[in-house]
């Protein structure tokens, strides 16, 4: 059975700082996976890469396949369409909700 998500040889640098170094991961349909580690270990960066919110370093040996689609071969527009149709995100910090539920905006919505 093919994995639902397959990431091969993902790396990510920010300047000289190596955040992710050649990670490979397969996740089957309905499998539950936890990504744990200390602050600054690269957990959020990995999730951004797997969720197509960020791109890994250029490497011809790296690939990301989601639901049978090789994401690394898609254009930015096609990746955005794929993400819009197939993915959902719950962000850790939802500070924008406080902004949206202020009395000013609630009263505007009811008028």
């Amino acid at each position: 059975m093919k994995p639902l998500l397959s990431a091969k040889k993902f790396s990510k640098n920010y300047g000289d700082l190596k955040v992710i170094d050649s990670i490979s991961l397969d996740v089957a349909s309905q499998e539950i996976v936890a990504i744990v580690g200390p602050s600054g270990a690269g957990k959020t960066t990995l999730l951004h890469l797997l969720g197509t919110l960020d791109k890994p370093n250029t490497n011809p040996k790296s690939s990301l396949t989601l639901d049978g689609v090789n994401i690394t071969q898609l254009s930015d527009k096609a990746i955005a369409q794929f993400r819009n149709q197939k993915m959902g995100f719950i962000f850790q910090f939802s500070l924008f909700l406080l902004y949206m539920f202020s009395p000013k905006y609630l009263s505007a919505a009811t008028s």
Side-chain angles (χ1 to χ4, degrees):
M1 179 185 235
K2 289 185 178 183
L4 181 64
L5 178 149
S6 181
K8 303 292 183 208
K9 299 189 182 278
F10 261 35
S11 297
K12 183 67 178 178
N13 292 11
Y14 293 106
D16 292 335
L17 179 63
K18 188 177 288 192
V19 181
I20 304 284
D21 188 15
S22 193
I23 287 180
S24 294
L25 171 72
D26 287 335
V27 179
S29 178
Q30 298 186 5
E31 181 177 10
I32 297 172
V33 176
I35 300 171
V36 297
S39 179
K43 300 177 299 292
T44 300
T45 299
L46 177 61
L47 290 174
H48 284 179
L49 293 171
L50 297 176
T52 71
L53 296 173
D54 198 359
K55 290 187 174 187
N57 296 347
T58 303
N59 177 353
K61 294 181 180 180
S62 69
S63 67
L64 174 62
T65 304
L66 295 167
D67 199 20
V69 177
N70 187 341
I71 301 297
T72 50
Q73 295 179 346
L74 299 179
S75 68
D76 288 344
K77 183 176 180 178
I79 291 171
Q81 289 173 334
F82 179 88
R83 186 174 47 242
N84 185 36
Q85 295 169 357
K86 299 274 189 173
M87 303 179 87
F89 294 94
I90 299 173
F91 293 96
Q92 181 176 2
F93 298 107
S94 53
L95 296 177
F96 70 91
L97 292 176
L98 296 175
Y99 174 78
M100 292 188 63
F101 289 117
S102 75
K104 174 181 166 184
Y105 292 102
L106 288 175
S107 65
T110 59
S111 46

